[in-house]
């Protein structure tokens, strides 16, 4: 933390972000946080971008440089950095925060960056565009609603992959339950098939003692999370929905 923010200050900041459930307030919060976001989440030992990209690359066929990837809720570009390190070069990103997009643009890793608030508007891409779509760290109350999941499917190629993450700490369990119900309904409809649901004990440091409880198995103060990986089915056109569905 080069600019001197203490771990307790970072925990308080991230804890406050978890408590914001109004989307407009959340986006404003992220605009203000963007310049210090990377160093703050590093202080919390946040590992979701690396673990999600590891999960995706193990299942994605073909050489990485040929794959067209969409990073949804891309933030400052932490996922793009992990993808670039593994040889991926064709990266597109979308986010609802202009401040976060400014930081992502400065990395120089994306071929295309777009302002898009998923859940309020469709993704700015045609149906069946991407070999893989990732959304890391944005599936919680006040961020991306579960109702937006079919939009990720819409822009994924037939046979392409969708990788999602969410926290499994106590304050996010209600959202996780609703998310899994949505994921399961899409699978039952034949839209995609689940390849993996990978629990992670050490997701990031807990922001308070209240977060170290049910759903948190690590004794060193870490909260837990989970990574989901799906493959879009060939007949998923209708189940994937239309723009804005």
């Amino acid at each position: 933390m080069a600019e001197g923010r203490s771990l307790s200050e970072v925990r308080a900041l991230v804890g406050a972000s978890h408590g914001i459930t109004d989307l407009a307030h959340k986006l404003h919060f992220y605009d203000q946080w963007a310049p210090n976001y990377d160093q703050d989440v590093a202080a919390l030992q946040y590992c979701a971008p690396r673990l999600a990209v590891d999960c995706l690359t193990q299942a994605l066929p073909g050489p990485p440089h040929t794959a067209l990837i969409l990073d949804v809720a891309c933030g400052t570009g932490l996922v793009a950095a992990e993808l670039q390190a593994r040889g991926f070069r064709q990266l597109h990103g979308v986010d609802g925060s202009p401040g976060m997009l400014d930081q992502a643009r400065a990395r120089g890793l994306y071929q295309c960056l777009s302002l898009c608030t998923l859940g309020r508007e469709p993704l700015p891409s045609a149906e069946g565009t991407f070999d893989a779509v990732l959304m890391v760290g944005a599936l919680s109350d006040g961020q991306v609603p579960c109702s937006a999941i079919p939009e990720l499917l819409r822009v994924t190629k037939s046979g392409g992959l969708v990788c999602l993450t969410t926290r499994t700490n106590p304050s996010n369990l209600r959202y996780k339950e609703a998310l899994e119900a949505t994921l399961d309904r899409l699978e039952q409809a034949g839209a995609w098939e689940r390849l993996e649901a990978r629990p992670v004990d050490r997701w990031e440091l807990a922001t308070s003692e209240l977060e170290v409880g049910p759903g948190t198995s690590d004794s060193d103060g870490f909260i837990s999370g989970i990574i989901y990986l799906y493959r879009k089915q060939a007949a998923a056109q209708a189940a994937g929905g239309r723009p804005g569905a």
Side-chain angles (χ1 to χ4, degrees), residues 118-171:
L118 191 60
R120 290 190 174 180
E121 56 190 328
L123 290 167
S125 302
E127 186 170 317
T129 298
F130 297 97
D131 296 291
V133 175
L134 298 97
M135 185 158 55
V136 177
L139 288 170
S140 63
D141 281 331
Q143 290 185 280
V144 176
C146 297
S147 59
I149 297 297
E151 181 64 2
L152 307 180
L153 260 172
R154 181 186 67 82
V155 302
T156 304
K157 291 179 181 177
S158 178
L161 301 179
V162 180
C163 183
L164 310 169
T165 74
T166 197
R167 293 178 282 113
T168 56
N169 56 310
S171 68

Side-chain angles (χ1 to χ4, degrees), residues 164-215:
L164 310 169
T165 74
T166 197
R167 293 178 282 113
T168 56
N169 56 310
S171 68
N172 202 50
L173 288 179
R174 185 174 65 174
Y175 181 95
K176 174 180 176 283
E177 182 179 345
L179 173 64
E180 291 194 338
T182 299
L183 303 181
D184 290 346
R185 280 196 299 271
L186 287 167
E187 186 166 28
Q188 290 160 11
W192 59 12
E193 63 171 329
R194 180 182 288 187
L195 302 181
E196 187 166 7
R198 182 182 298 185
V200 177
D201 287 339
R202 297 168 68 93
W203 195 254
E204 67 181 8
L205 287 170
T207 59
S208 73
E209 291 183 4
L210 294 175
E211 291 300 303
V212 184

